[in-house]
Amino acid sequence: MGSKLSGADGGAGQTIEQNADINVTPFVDIMLVLLIIFMVAAPMATVSMKLDLPPPKAPDTPQKEPVYITVQESGSIYIADRQSSLASLSADVCAALGGGPCREQRVFVRAEPEVPYERFMAVMNGLYGSGFTQVGLLNEDIE
């Protein structure tokens, strides 16, 4: 923005007039440079990755209901409504799932809040040691 002094002598009767013309040339130059930089950099930022996705499941294959394992404060373990123990946990879970390829089925474990961590992890380790890989944890009140 420029200003102009009125009067050639620069004396005491000066008035300042403002020039409102904006020089946009530097602004356009910077915008064009940024546009070129982003046009060159954008294809480099796009990374293609090959994914090997699993095949879709057939819709006619029904998913079995999951089995719920409950660990109580007293140390007893229940699979659905049947009592079990750590020694027979794997066989009882397979029986509750109905046999077949039971190790690929969903199993949910829940425990009362007062259950010691070691007892809960003994159940989890027993399931993982037996080959159950789809084990979920439930956080809900048991009444």
Side-chain angles (χ1 to χ4, degrees):
M1 181 165 18
S3 63
K4 177 181 173 190
L5 296 176
S6 66
D9 60 349
Q14 293 180 348
T15 59
I16 299 176
E17 295 179 17
Q18 302 231 344
N19 184 3
D21 294 335
I22 298 174
N23 189 3
V24 295
T25 305
F27 178 71
V28 172
D29 289 343
I30 291 173
M31 288 298 125
L32 289 174
V33 168
L34 287 175
L35 178 66
I36 292 170
I37 289 172
F38 285 124
M39 287 174 58
V40 170
M44 291 182 210
T46 306
V47 178
S48 63
M49 180 184 307
K50 183 178 178 178
L51 295 176
D52 293 329
L53 297 175
K57 290 185 178 181
D60 58 341
T61 307
Q63 185 71 271
K64 291 184 179 179
E65 283 295 318
V67 169
Y68 295 95
I69 300 173
T70 306
V71 183
Q72 292 186 344
E73 181 183 2
S74 63
S76 57
I77 300 170
Y78 284 90
I79 300 172
D81 293 332
R82 293 180 37 221
Q83 189 169 2
S84 181
S85 66
L86 280 177
S88 63
L89 184 64
S90 174
D92 290 342
V93 170
C94 281
L97 286 169
C102 61
R103 308 249 188 276
E104 290 86 27
Q105 298 297 320
R106 294 178 295 166
V107 177
F108 291 117
V109 179
R110 58 186 169 192
E112 291 180 343
E114 295 82 19
V115 173
Y117 182 72
E118 294 83 19
R119 190 171 300 151
F120 177 75
M121 285 309 296
V123 172
M124 292 295 295
N125 290 335
L127 289 171
Y128 282 122
S130 299
F132 290 95
T133 57
Q134 294 190 15
V135 178
L137 303 178
L138 294 179
N139 183 16
E140 61 184 32
D141 294 333
I142 301 173
E143 296 177 14

